[in-house]
Amino acid sequence: MKPFRSCLAILLGLCLSSFAATPDAKIAMPKSSDPQLEFTLIASEPQIVTPIGIAIDKRNRLFVVESHTHHRPADYKGPETDRVKVFLDTNGDGIPDTPKVFAEGFKTAMNLVLSPADELYLVHRSGVVLLHDADGDGVSERSTKIVELVTTTDYPHNGLNGIVFSRNGWLYLGIGENFSAEYTLRGTDGSEVHAGPGRGGKVFRCRADGRELQEVATGFWNPFGLELDRAGRLFCVDNDPGGRPPCRLLHVVPGGDYGYKRRYDDTHVFNGWDGELPGTLPMLKGTGEAPCGVISTDRLALPAGYAGSLLVASWGDATIELYRLKPLGGSFSATKENLVVGEKKFNEAFCPVDFAAAPDGSLYVTDWADRTSYPVHGKGRIWRLAEKKGVKVEPPTHEQPLAETNAAALRFQRLLAADSPKQIDELKSALTDADPFIRSAAITSLAKPAYRDAALKAADDADAAVRLGALSALWRGQVADPVPLIRKHLSDPDERVRFLALWWAGEDGIKALANDLSRAVAQEPTPTLFQAYLASAEMLATDASVPASRAALTKPPVPVRQQLLASILYDDKQPAALHAMAAATVSTLTDAKTAERLLHFARNGDTKLRQEAIRTLAACPHADVPGVLKSLALDTKLTSSLRADAILSLARRDATQLPALTELLNDSEPHVQLETARALRLAMSEAPVRMALQDKLASLSDTSSALAEQLQFALTSSAAKRPATPADWRKAVAVGGDAESGRRVFHSVQTGCTMCHQAEGRGTSIGPELTNVARSFDRAKLIEAILDPSREVAPQYEHHIVETKSGTTYSGVLVHIGLDGSPLINALGTGRQRIPTAQITRHTTSPLSMMLFGLENTMTVHDFRDLLAFLLTGK
């Protein structure tokens, strides 16, 4: 959760007198995008300060958590403990207006919820309590412990936080990643759930009195907001992924695994965020920054068109987001709109935290009111969203149960309830389904002890998808003696199965398999599989213990990994495929021994190994590199692909060497000619280069060829019949392209794609990773993203600009903001930079994408087509 930032402010005081809130001149009014709705201020400081959770009972009493302990500054003048305030409607207009203290004495209070019996529950970091007001006087006289969290960690908002009741009385709870510390969650009947170190957040449920505590789902960072819709489907907003945005809107299902584990660095190959890992589930949609609350629109009285949707409070983006859901298999797809948008200034912002629906269907919203202040401060707001006078609305329908009719969702429920041997074929079939939710249900059931033998047999199935699902189930079900099972599947013909075997061996620290891991990459390894091999080997080469501090966690033991890479690089007995992966992965390029080994591989070995070595040499400073690359480019005995890669690497490393390659304009290989022409655009200041290009152009009979267009573009920065408008470009690049040439366009200096993006393990991870972009972007969407990069900028890639007193400007994406307010920027050209707050003169965001407008102007039409062809190969 990120609903709090750092700034030390003194509490303005507490006032319990009647107060009709009017907008202060300093309070910027958030605006609704729907003209039928109005957003009004109900209360502000000093009536309410640093509000978090909110709930409204059937008597229209408004309860609000008022935080006074969250990162409490030493000079804070407010109450010693957190409070629950209750606002009463004293003038009969239907709007609560007068506050008083309902309960106090809490530490790190988070959220509130009312049970179906209208009893008020409070969740704090370390437990859940029921607050009693037996005489109904608006003051709680006692509390009852419902759930207790036992752990050594006490950071405020990564323990218990999310809370919601189902219609039939189950209390659902979210717990954050708890800084990797192990914990025990204990119910009133002695039922308890234990989580070992390094796990991610989880969702649990228990009865209203704390009995029958049980785990529901896992793999969250911080499930701070929970909601159940009319059909009893559970949704969650999960924040905050630190270095791996975006935050997530999730459909939470029993047995679901959403991929995240705190034990790993955020971008670790074994950390999932969008269903990338076997057995894990994807998000419905990426949300804005720091989502804290989620509510079904069916709880509200709204104009027609809002039914069945969700509202999300995006604390960091100053918005209330509307997500319209559409059935997709066993789950949903979602589209996002901004329903309410507020001021985003850092010290006077709209920072929505939580929602509550009033009996009349209006929506109440708590507002932390300061984007820079993690510690408690003297600001706070409560807002109300309701229809304007005269607008027709549809009444709330949330209390009217909705039966599930979606065939895939009903199938999911049937699979999840499976308990008969007769259903094994149905479960195996489900493991091959394209729907990850259907696969998840099958895995959850196969993990049951009753299916243990059947799952072991399915692990040998001829269908790789069945083997993968069965292994996932056996791992989840903690099969006895997994060593023979994993060892066998480290050599499985399917890459996904080998990945899972590596993951299982490394995560569970099975050192008996340490010498078997290389089996998984003995066949043709991919960059992802090789990273999995390195990660698993790294864990087994150490104690595989969870680091005690986050600083240690984000800095994996590099020497161990370097040793692993070196052992591969310098061992002549290793297969060429492993040498190639090591050559593509190694980062110690200033080391002379490493450089010499790469130069050796570039001159010798199989094609794939030489190719990866040549590509890596583009960043190697060794003095011999330019000469070797030139000789490879000129060697007509090599494949055209290797020679073209040598030209590209030379252009990326040292453009002053390019004039020596002008003779390659007349080479017999078209790829070599084209890459030479493209590279020589970097050396146009040299008269011999311009003359060589002119001579070659004059010799061509086909003036529409890719080579002719490249030569014309180099000589005039334009070309005949070059598209003049976006519509012309869309038409010109609608079909065609050479993926091999497109990869070199992607990595070229001219386009600069790798300044922000990675593909196939190479490049810079500031913008989206593009290896598998074709899974979600078709050709048309890719064209639009290139022609108009600012049209749709995902929240996690918002462009931040930080100016400092020294005159330095950092431009990049915001990774996170520290407790002292210092932003960590993943900046163009310099990578991650922590900028001290005291050095900042200006911190702004730009509506423009960091991707430069006019990228098409760096390419020929053929280049553009080729780039698209390359990106579309990644499925």
Side-chain angles (χ1 to χ4, degrees):
M1 168 196 173
K2 249 188 222 178
F4 319 121
R5 301 283 185 207
S6 54
C7 152
L8 303 184
I10 298 176
L11 187 65
L12 300 179
L14 297 171
C15 175
L16 303 184
S17 62
S18 179
F19 173 77
T22 56
D24 188 284
K26 297 179 180 178
I27 299 176
M29 297 294 293
K31 295 180 175 59
S32 170
S33 62
D34 186 340
Q36 303 174 95
L37 302 175
E38 60 182 357
F39 203 63
T40 55
L41 182 65
I42 300 303
S44 64
E45 67 272 6
Q47 266 197 319
I48 189 72
V49 297
T50 47
I52 311 176
I54 187 171
I56 304 175
D57 69 7
K58 295 173 183 176
R59 296 165 54 186
N60 204 37
R61 298 185 299 174
L62 178 69
F63 299 91
V64 183
V65 169
E66 187 177 72
S67 179
H68 296 285
T69 63
H70 190 278
H71 294 297
R72 182 185 176 94
D75 59 352
Y76 188 71
K77 301 299 192 296
E80 293 295 325
T81 63
D82 296 336
R83 295 176 165 180
V84 176
K85 280 190 172 179
V86 58
F87 285 72
L88 307 175
D89 176 12
T90 60
N91 60 11
D93 66 353
I95 300 175
D97 51 59
T98 301
K100 68 176 181 178
V101 175
F102 178 77
E104 57 189 341
F106 311 107
K107 181 181 179 183
T108 58
M110 292 287 124
N111 265 321
L112 295 169
V113 71
L114 286 152
S115 73
D118 220 26
E119 296 176 307
L120 186 66
Y121 287 69
L122 177 144
V123 58
H124 55 93
R125 196 233 185 269
S126 300
V128 179
V129 294
L130 167 60
L131 303 177
H132 300 274
D133 178 16
D135 56 9
D137 65 351
V139 177
S140 173
E141 62 274 359
R142 66 185 180 89
S143 65
T144 299
K145 183 186 296 184
I146 302 298
V147 172
E148 179 184 16
L149 173 64
V150 181
T151 185
T152 58
T153 304
D154 63 358
Y155 188 79
H157 55 255
N158 65 355
L160 288 169
N161 40 49
I163 187 167
V164 70
F165 260 105
S166 70
R167 188 177 289 107
N168 59 358
W170 282 103
L171 177 63
Y172 287 82
L173 298 170
I175 185 171
E177 34 70 34
N178 201 43
F179 278 165
S180 290
E182 61 183 320
Y183 62 83
T184 298
L185 200 62
R186 186 171 296 140
T188 55
D189 60 352
S191 58
E192 58 183 40
V193 181
H194 179 76
R199 303 300 169 180
K202 295 178 180 290
V203 171
F204 301 92
R205 73 174 187 173
C206 64
R207 295 296 183 180
D209 59 2
R211 295 178 298 112
E212 300 179 45
L213 181 69
Q214 55 195 246
E215 182 177 320
V216 175
T218 189
F220 308 94
W221 178 297
N222 202 12
F224 198 85
L226 300 176
E227 174 63 313
L228 285 152
D229 71 0
R230 290 177 60 194
R233 294 170 293 220
L234 182 62
F235 297 93
C236 156
V237 282
D238 190 24
N239 72 51
D240 153 8
R244 186 175 188 159
C247 299
R248 307 184 288 182
L249 174 62
L250 300 171
H251 176 200
V252 181
V253 296
D257 183 346
Y258 295 84
Y260 178 78
K261 290 186 176 71
R262 176 69 191 223
R263 69 183 298 166
Y264 300 123
D265 180 69
D266 304 333
T267 57
H268 195 282
V269 68
F270 293 152
N271 231 347
W273 199 243
D274 194 20
E276 309 96 327
L277 299 175
T280 65
L281 292 171
M283 64 180 86
L284 295 181
K285 192 76 173 176
T287 71
E289 173 70 357
C292 302
V294 57
I295 191 170
S296 170
T297 55
D298 292 335
R299 293 186 187 269
L300 308 174
L302 293 169
Y306 285 93
S309 300
L310 298 170
L311 297 180
V312 169
S314 174
W315 182 95
D317 281 354
T319 56
I320 295 175
E321 301 166 344
L322 172 67
Y323 291 87
R324 301 187 188 275
L325 304 181
K326 182 179 179 181
L328 179 65
S331 185
F332 300 88
S333 63
T335 58
K336 172 188 168 185
E337 304 167 27
N338 287 335
L339 182 62
V340 177
V341 179
E343 182 61 66
K344 204 174 177 181
K345 293 179 181 177
F346 278 85
N347 62 348
E348 192 62 47
F350 173 53
C351 301
V353 180
D354 197 21
F355 299 126
D360 67 357
S362 57
L363 177 71
Y364 286 79
V365 185
T366 53
D367 175 6
W368 188 259
D370 192 330
R371 197 178 180 212
T372 64
S373 188
Y374 247 39
V376 290
H377 51 77
K379 301 172 188 175
R381 322 267 192 265
I382 299 175
W383 303 87
R384 180 175 184 262
L385 179 72
E387 76 278 8
K388 290 182 178 178
K389 187 175 181 179
V391 172
K392 183 179 179 181
V393 296
E394 297 179 342
T397 58
H398 191 269
E399 296 309 310
Q400 302 168 19
L402 181 67
E404 182 65 77
T405 59
N406 182 305
L410 291 171
R411 182 187 178 198
F412 174 90
Q413 293 173 4
R414 185 174 67 254
L415 290 166
L416 200 64
D419 60 3
S420 168
K422 296 179 181 179
Q423 292 174 278
I424 185 61
D425 288 341
E426 184 181 10
L427 291 173
K428 287 171 60 179
S429 176
L431 294 176
T432 68
D433 199 281
D435 183 348
F437 284 81
I438 295 298
R439 297 198 303 270
S440 173
I443 291 170
T444 299
S445 280
L446 279 171
K448 299 172 184 176
Y451 285 113
R452 180 61 46 81
D453 291 342
L456 285 167
K457 185 176 180 181
D460 290 328
D461 196 89
D463 191 318
V466 174
R467 297 198 302 276
L468 183 68
L471 282 177
S472 296
L474 290 165
W475 186 9
R476 189 179 297 184
Q478 298 181 323
V479 63
D481 190 16
V483 172
L485 186 68
I486 300 173
R487 180 176 286 127
K488 177 179 181 179
H489 289 286
L490 284 168
S491 300
D492 194 277
D494 186 81
E495 177 195 338
R496 298 168 301 165
V497 175
R498 300 200 303 275
F499 178 96
L500 183 65
L502 285 168
W503 183 15
W504 188 350
E507 184 164 307
D508 282 10
I510 307 176
K511 292 185 179 293
L513 294 168
N515 295 327
D516 297 288
L517 299 181
S518 60
R519 295 184 182 189
V521 286
Q523 304 172 55
E524 185 68 23
T526 63
T528 299
L529 191 66
F530 187 69
Q531 288 298 322
Y533 163 72
L534 289 177
S536 185
E538 187 173 49
M539 286 187 279
L540 296 185
T542 63
D543 291 334
S545 57
V546 178
S549 70
R550 184 60 177 164
L553 188 69
T554 56
K555 295 180 180 179
V558 176
V560 174
R561 178 159 295 210
Q562 287 182 357
Q563 183 178 3
L564 288 168
L565 283 170
S567 68
I568 297 170
L569 274 175
Y570 304 132
D571 183 357
D572 290 331
K573 296 180 181 179
Q574 295 287 356
L578 270 187
H579 279 154
M581 288 294 100
T585 306
V586 67
S587 59
T588 54
L589 298 179
T590 56
D591 177 68
K593 185 178 179 182
T594 300
E596 289 167 2
R597 189 65 169 169
L598 289 172
L599 288 166
H600 169 74
F601 287 150
R603 298 188 190 100
N604 308 279
D606 76 346
T607 300
K608 179 64 176 176
L609 173 55
R610 300 184 76 171
Q611 187 175 58
E612 295 298 348
I614 288 168
R615 293 172 182 176
T616 300
L617 286 171
C620 181
H622 194 283
D624 291 347
V625 170
V628 171
L629 291 176
K630 281 192 291 185
S631 67
L632 293 172
L634 293 166
D635 188 348
T636 58
K637 296 178 182 178
L638 299 180
T639 66
S640 62
S641 178
L642 282 178
R643 297 173 65 201
D645 276 351
I647 296 166
L648 173 62
S649 288
L650 189 62
R652 288 175 58 85
R653 187 192 184 282
D654 189 356
T656 63
Q657 304 289 326
L658 294 174
L661 301 182
T662 54
E663 67 183 83
L664 295 180
L665 290 171
N666 297 309
D667 197 86
S668 60
E669 294 288 349
H671 273 296
V672 173
Q673 292 182 39
L674 182 61
E675 195 57 38
T676 301
R678 186 184 293 127
L680 287 174
R681 284 164 48 192
L682 300 172
M684 292 302 292
S685 61
E686 300 289 332
V689 170
R690 293 196 304 274
M691 185 176 297
L693 293 175
Q694 290 167 351
D695 290 346
K696 183 60 181 178
L697 181 59
S699 71
L700 295 178
S701 58
D702 183 1
T703 57
S704 65
S705 67
L707 179 59
E709 188 188 14
Q710 194 72 234
L711 294 167
Q712 291 171 331
F713 192 66
L715 290 164
T716 65
S717 295
S718 64
K721 300 180 181 179
R722 188 170 175 81
T725 67
D728 292 339
W729 274 107
R730 283 191 287 271
K731 183 178 179 180
V733 300
V735 295
D738 180 331
E740 183 181 347
S741 175
R743 181 186 55 76
R744 288 190 284 271
V745 173
F746 178 84
H747 289 281
S748 70
V749 176
Q750 292 91 330
T751 62
C753 296
T754 55
M755 291 178 62
C756 292
H757 300 284
Q758 278 192 345
E760 300 177 343
R762 295 184 183 273
T764 305
S765 56
I766 294 178
E769 212 279 348
L770 299 179
T771 300
N772 298 312
V773 67
R775 292 178 180 174
S776 53
F777 275 52
D778 59 16
R779 192 181 190 100
K781 289 184 69 175
L782 284 172
I783 292 170
E784 287 303 322
I786 293 171
L787 293 177
D788 189 4
S790 298
R791 172 179 288 187
E792 185 177 348
V793 179
Q796 67 270 30
Y797 299 117
E798 183 179 49
H799 187 183
H800 284 252
I801 303 166
V802 180
E803 300 171 9
T804 67
K805 293 177 180 178
S806 65
T808 303
T809 298
Y810 297 94
S811 177
V813 297
L814 179 68
V815 178
H816 63 77
I817 293 181
L819 295 181
D820 61 352
S822 59
L824 177 63
I825 301 291
N826 197 0
L828 290 169
T830 57
R832 294 191 174 194
Q833 300 288 330
R834 173 74 69 182
I835 302 123
T837 305
Q839 296 299 315
I840 297 173
T841 58
R842 192 175 181 222
H843 183 173
T844 59
T845 58
S846 171
L848 300 178
S849 168
M850 286 182 297
M851 181 172 161
L852 295 178
F853 183 79
L855 181 64
E856 68 275 14
N857 296 325
T858 69
M859 297 182 284
T860 67
V861 175
H862 281 87
D863 285 345
F864 201 151
R865 290 186 195 132
D866 293 348
L867 177 62
L868 292 170
F870 167 65
L871 295 175
L872 288 168
T873 61
K875 294 183 180 181

